[in-house]
């Protein structure tokens, strides 16, 4: 019998099966891409591009470079100049740029840029720009006679740094560094505010996370074990804050906790405190912690509830039947099964607490401000680039903690719902 030649498998319309399957998979991939394309565009436009722009602005500032082209050119041609004794050519370029600033009315922009690293230079630049047209060679002697600060090495170091559009200077400032005559050095103790606020923000966020966990655990347990009717009512109470404006909730705490507020009046009425000894619970760190704990509590309850509701009650009954005490049953049986919810809720609350600024701004006062409030201040009233640098450092710190969490515990153990 002659051997029969193996024929490739085909579809009903005669196409090779392998080719048909490849075409079907390609269509499925294109369809899936079209389905997720709106989400990808949304993430790109609202998340990745703003973060990229923020990172770019943290290095970029052309306030001085665009206003002093002659000095920028001189710095580029003389990178090894001595800030303690700049030559006459440097002063000549500076006078030329000061005269240009006066004509183009950019003195304030240039002076403000230098003022970020060398405080007190705005008035110096304005005075120099007004007199630049009347100065005559030698320009070094003329400028120093006008104001001795023009000879300070710190000023020339600051102008050299600002002559570059892209500079890491703002990260140095955000790290409590100060530009001196000898270069960048650690700022005096009284001037160190940024790293202290970073530490304070992370400490307060950790305290709020612990408080939320302690308060949320029994509530989530009740939600998971109560009958459906009572559990639904309790869930409505948990979700009720989401239906109320954050501003309204924060303002309500002001009414409750202020010196003449409801809580103090109630304590005075009960005779627990004297009317002259009312508690200071508002416009300080206490107000910030209380208000933020209330705001972020649901974000801890919901992940815990999602884990607790699927834990079989038979596990605890089996442990008790084998002689385990209530504490042993909780510690050895129940608590380990809730760890994914604890991890998810803690991570969520901590990250949200680190970035909050509305609540601390309203109830924290001067003592209750966090690093986010300083970012908001610089972004709206001071220095956009410095605000971007602080925000980038905050983002890097959170990503580092996230990485450490993944290495020590594992992101795969998180369970949000």
């Amino acid at each position: 019998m002659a051997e029969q030649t193996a024929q490739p498998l085909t579809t009903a319309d005669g196409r090779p099966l392998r080719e048909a399957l490849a075409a079907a998979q390609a269509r499925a991939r294109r369809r899936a891409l079209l389905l997720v394309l709106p989400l990808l565009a949304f993430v790109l436009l609202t998340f990745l591009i703003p973060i990229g722009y923020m990172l770019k602005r943290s290095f970029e500032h052309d306030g001085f470079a665009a206003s002093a082209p002659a000095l920028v050119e001189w710095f580029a041609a003389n990178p090894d100049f001595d800030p303690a004794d700049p030559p006459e050519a440097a002063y000549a370029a500076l006078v030329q740029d000061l005269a240009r600033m006066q004509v183009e009315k950019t003195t304030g922009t240039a002076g403000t840029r230098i003022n970020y690293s060398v405080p007190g230079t705005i008035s110096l630049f304005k005075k120099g720009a007004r007199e630049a047209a009347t100065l005559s060679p030698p320009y070094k002697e003329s400028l120093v006679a006008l104001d001795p600060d023009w000879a300070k090495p710190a000023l020339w170091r600051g102008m050299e740094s600002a002559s570059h559009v892209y500079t890491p200077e703002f990260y140095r400032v955000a790290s409590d560094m100060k530009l001196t005559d000898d270069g960048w050095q650690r700022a005096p103790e009284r001037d160190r505010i940024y790293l202290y606020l970073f530490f304070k923000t992370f400490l307060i966020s950790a305290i709020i996370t612990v408080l939320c966990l302690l308060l949320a655990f029994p509530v989530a347990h009740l939600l998971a074990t109560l009958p459906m009717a009572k559990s639904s009512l309790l869930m409505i109470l948990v979700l009720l804050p989401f239906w109320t404006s954050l501003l309204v909730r924060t303002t309500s705490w002001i009414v409750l906790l202020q010196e003449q507020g409801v809580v103090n009046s109630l304590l005075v009425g009960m005779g627990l405190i004297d009317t002259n000894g009312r508690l200071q619970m508002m416009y300080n760190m206490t107000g910030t912690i209380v208000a933020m704990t209330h705001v972020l509590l649901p974000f801890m309850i919901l992940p815990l509830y999602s884990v607790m509701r699927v834990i079989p009650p038979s596990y605890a009954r089996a442990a008790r039947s084998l002689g385990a005490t209530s504490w042993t049953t909780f510690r050895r049986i129940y608590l380990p099964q809730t760890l994914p919810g604890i991890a998810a809720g803690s991570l969520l609350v901590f990250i949200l607490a680190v970035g909050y600024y509305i609540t601390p701004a309203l109830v924290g006062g001067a003592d209750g401000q966090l690093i986010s409030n300083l970012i908001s201040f610089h972004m709206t009233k001071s220095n956009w680039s410095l605000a971007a640098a602080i925000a980038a450092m905050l983002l890097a710190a959170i990503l580092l903690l996230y990485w450490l969490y993944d290495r020590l515990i594992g992101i795969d153990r998180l369970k949000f719902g």
Side-chain angles (χ1 to χ4, degrees):
M1 179 182 292
E3 294 184 2
Q4 295 181 354
T5 304
Q7 297 294 328
L9 296 176
T10 60
T11 60
D13 58 356
R15 297 174 59 195
L17 183 59
R18 184 187 300 273
E19 180 183 332
L21 288 175
Q25 291 176 352
R27 286 195 300 270
R29 286 193 294 268
R30 288 194 297 269
R31 189 179 300 112
L33 178 61
L34 291 175
L35 289 174
V36 301
L37 194 59
L39 178 60
L40 290 177
F42 177 80
V43 172
L44 181 65
L45 293 175
T46 63
F47 187 73
L48 297 180
I49 291 179
I51 288 182
Y53 181 71
M54 177 199 71
L55 294 175
K56 177 174 177 288
R57 283 298 301 267
S58 67
F59 290 96
E60 178 188 34
H61 201 299
D62 63 348
F64 182 79
S67 304
L71 199 56
V72 169
E73 182 179 354
W74 188 88
F75 281 133
N78 300 271
D80 299 325
F81 82 103
D82 183 9
D85 187 24
E88 174 66 17
Y91 280 94
L94 176 58
V95 171
Q96 179 182 343
D97 286 331
L98 288 173
R100 178 192 180 103
M101 293 176 196
Q102 182 68 13
V103 174
E104 297 180 355
K105 301 186 184 304
T106 59
T107 310
T109 302
T112 300
R113 170 63 184 90
I114 305 300
N115 192 73
Y116 295 149
S117 53
V118 186
T121 55
I122 297 179
S123 59
L124 180 68
F125 268 78
K126 290 182 177 180
K127 180 180 178 181
R130 286 194 302 266
E131 303 294 334
T134 64
L135 298 178
S136 58
Y139 293 111
K140 180 176 181 178
E141 295 180 4
S142 300
L143 270 178
V144 174
L146 184 65
D147 197 312
D149 287 346
W150 285 113
K152 285 187 174 181
L155 176 63
W156 283 93
R157 291 182 185 275
M159 290 192 295
E160 194 279 332
S161 177
S163 67
H164 304 281
V165 176
Y166 295 96
T167 172
E169 178 178 312
F170 299 106
Y171 285 92
R172 294 193 180 105
V173 175
S175 301
D176 288 329
M177 302 291 288
K178 184 177 182 180
L179 186 58
T180 66
D181 291 342
D182 297 323
W184 288 97
Q185 296 181 356
R186 189 65 183 264
E189 187 72 30
R190 65 180 183 277
D191 296 333
R192 300 175 190 175
I193 58 174
Y194 297 106
L195 294 182
Y196 165 73
L197 277 180
F198 271 111
F199 173 77
K200 179 181 176 182
T201 298
F202 281 91
L203 177 62
I204 296 303
S205 298
I207 293 174
I208 291 171
T209 301
V210 172
L211 290 176
C212 285
L213 177 60
L214 295 177
L215 294 173
F217 201 95
V219 176
H221 178 70
L222 284 175
L223 283 170
T225 56
L226 285 176
M228 182 58 66
K230 296 180 180 179
S231 176
S232 299
L233 178 60
L234 184 57
M235 179 61 75
I236 291 175
L237 297 177
V238 170
L239 296 177
L240 190 61
F242 288 118
W243 304 336
T244 308
S245 168
L246 175 62
L247 186 61
V248 172
R249 282 180 281 166
T250 305
T251 307
S252 299
W253 279 110
I254 297 177
V255 176
L256 290 171
L257 299 180
Q258 62 183 331
E259 189 172 347
Q260 301 296 327
V262 176
V263 174
N264 269 309
S265 298
L266 184 61
L267 293 176
V268 171
M270 296 172 61
L272 298 178
I273 60 174
D274 186 74
T275 186
N276 296 322
R278 291 174 178 264
L279 303 178
Q280 297 292 332
M281 297 180 291
M282 189 50 53
Y283 307 118
N284 52 26
M285 193 54 63
T286 301
T288 297
I289 293 175
V290 171
M292 289 183 63
T293 299
H294 170 251
V295 170
L296 296 175
L297 186 59
F299 294 98
M300 182 69 76
I301 294 176
L302 296 179
L304 286 173
Y305 167 71
S306 70
V307 172
M308 292 178 177
R309 66 185 176 86
V310 296
I311 298 177
S314 58
Y315 289 0
R317 291 197 297 267
R320 295 298 301 273
S321 67
L322 292 174
T325 63
S326 298
W327 168 244
T328 302
T329 302
F330 172 78
R331 181 173 56 88
R332 301 284 299 274
I333 305 298
Y334 193 77
L335 182 61
Q337 297 183 80
T338 64
L339 288 180
I342 293 175
S346 299
L347 189 64
L348 184 61
V349 169
F350 183 83
I351 291 177
L352 290 174
V354 165
Y356 255 59
Y357 75 95
I358 295 179
T359 302
L362 292 177
V363 304
D367 183 54
Q369 300 296 293
L370 304 180
I371 193 66
S372 53
N373 301 107
L374 193 61
I375 294 174
S376 175
F377 168 78
H378 283 302
M379 188 173 295
T380 56
K381 298 180 180 180
S382 180
N383 183 357
W384 218 106
S385 295
L386 180 56
I390 300 173
M393 292 172 63
L394 183 61
L395 175 63
I398 292 176
L399 291 178
L400 177 61
L401 291 176
Y402 190 84
W403 177 80
L404 290 174
Y405 185 94
D406 183 37
R407 298 286 295 179
L408 297 176
I409 299 178
I411 298 301
D412 56 332
R413 300 190 64 184
L414 291 179
K415 187 171 182 181
F416 287 96

